[in-house]
Amino acid sequence: EAGVAQSPRYKIIEKRQSVAFWCNPISGHATLYWYQQILGQGPKLLIQFQNNGVVDDSQLPKDRFSAERLKGVDSTLKIQPAKLEDSAVYLCASSLGQGRFYEQYFGPGTRLTVT
Amino acid sequence: AQSVAQPEDQVNVAEGNPLTVKCTYSVSGNPYLFWYVQYPNRGLQFLLKYITGDNLVKGSYGFEAEFNKSQTSFHLKKPSALVSDSALYFCAVRDLGGNTPLVFGKGTRLSVIA
């Protein structure tokens, strides 16, 4: 079974530039999550999708971050414009469902450096 | 609000010795607890989880964790550490009673020395 795929693996941009990350979840997984992991901290949920609908985006900085999952499969996370404090690893995860008993499977992450 | 505390940034242990990585939690209802491991340049990998039942949970790679409700702890343990266990370990919790997100601790770096 293929795991969660993410690209790119690394990205370096200057502040005020835009960047987009892509995630392909495990086949058949209805729920998709984006997390932000700042160095020295645990992952923090940014947004959760159930199929193509948003379940929770309460911690997404909506003035600069956006995410979509138009066809209920792949997802993109965008930052526009980027700030220095956005430097982090962005992790995508998926699960079969959104119920609390479903395990989340994580991708390798995208390491973003904003200079 | 849910929270997780991992009081140690770093744990060092000699190969072959037992290891413990500490975790305490806070939730309003009953906890649903996880341990994940992260190797360099890799995503988080699931180790084990506790929902209900036996307080000692066995997981992948010989790891186990002990749930202690009175101390609100969920410490990760392994009887004999391997050099390959060296990684970053995260404890996470969510409230069983609601549709709340998974909340992670800040992580503990385990270093097993040969």
Side-chain angles (χ1 to χ4, degrees):
Chain A
E1 177 182 84
V4 177
Q6 291 187 247
S7 68
R9 292 295 310 278
Y10 306 92
K11 190 73 176 179
I12 301 174
I13 62 172
E14 296 181 352
K15 60 184 180 184
R16 290 187 289 274
Q17 286 187 324
S18 303
V19 65
F21 312 128
W22 173 82
C23 173
N24 182 236
I26 293 173
S27 178
H29 280 197
T31 310
L32 185 146
Y33 311 80
W34 283 102
Y35 288 87
Q36 181 191 57
Q37 185 180 9
I38 293 172
L39 186 64
Q41 299 180 21
K44 182 186 81 171
L45 180 69
L46 292 175
I47 188 168
Q48 176 184 342
F49 291 95
Q50 177 67 15
N51 296 311
N52 61 351
V54 175
V55 174
D56 182 356
D57 64 356
S58 57
Q59 299 192 88
L60 186 74
K62 298 180 187 64
D63 58 335
R64 297 183 300 106
F65 286 65
S66 64
E68 60 183 14
R69 194 185 184 200
L70 292 175
K71 296 182 179 180
V73 181
D74 293 7
S75 176
T76 56
L77 176 70
K78 298 179 182 178
I79 308 175
Q80 180 179 9
K83 293 185 175 181
L84 294 176
E85 59 261 36
D86 297 332
S87 294
V89 175
Y90 291 85
L91 295 167
C92 179
S94 69
S95 62
L96 271 174
Q98 65 175 334
R100 48 190 171 266
F101 301 115
Y102 289 107
E103 294 165 21
Q104 295 181 27
Y105 295 84
F106 286 81
T110 297
R111 183 177 298 276
L112 173 67
T113 302
V114 182
T115 63
Chain B
Q2 304 160 178
S3 66
V4 173
Q6 293 182 243
E8 304 153 316
D9 290 337
Q10 173 101 22
V11 169
N12 298 318
V13 64
E15 187 176 30
N17 283 2
L19 69 87
T20 298
V21 182
K22 296 179 181 177
C23 170
T24 59
Y25 66 89
S26 174
V27 294
S28 56
N30 291 315
Y32 181 25
L33 292 153
F34 296 83
W35 276 101
Y36 283 86
V37 60
Q38 188 175 37
Y39 296 99
N41 300 315
R42 304 275 297 275
L44 276 71
Q45 296 178 34
F46 169 80
L47 275 181
L48 50 81
K49 65 182 177 185
Y50 172 84
I51 306 175
T52 60
D54 193 346
N55 289 342
L56 186 64
V57 179
K58 294 190 182 297
S60 306
Y61 313 120
F63 284 93
E64 57 191 25
E66 186 168 12
F67 172 68
N68 187 316
K69 188 172 183 178
S70 63
Q71 297 185 4
T72 62
S73 67
F74 189 57
H75 300 331
L76 181 70
K77 300 181 179 183
K78 187 173 182 181
S80 179
L82 300 172
V83 172
S84 57
D85 293 331
S86 299
L88 192 55
Y89 290 82
F90 290 95
C91 181
V93 68
R94 68 188 308 180
D95 192 332
L96 265 181
N99 188 24
T100 55
L102 196 57
V103 173
F104 287 84
K106 64 179 174 59
T108 298
R109 186 164 300 280
L110 173 67
S111 180
V112 181
I113 304 159

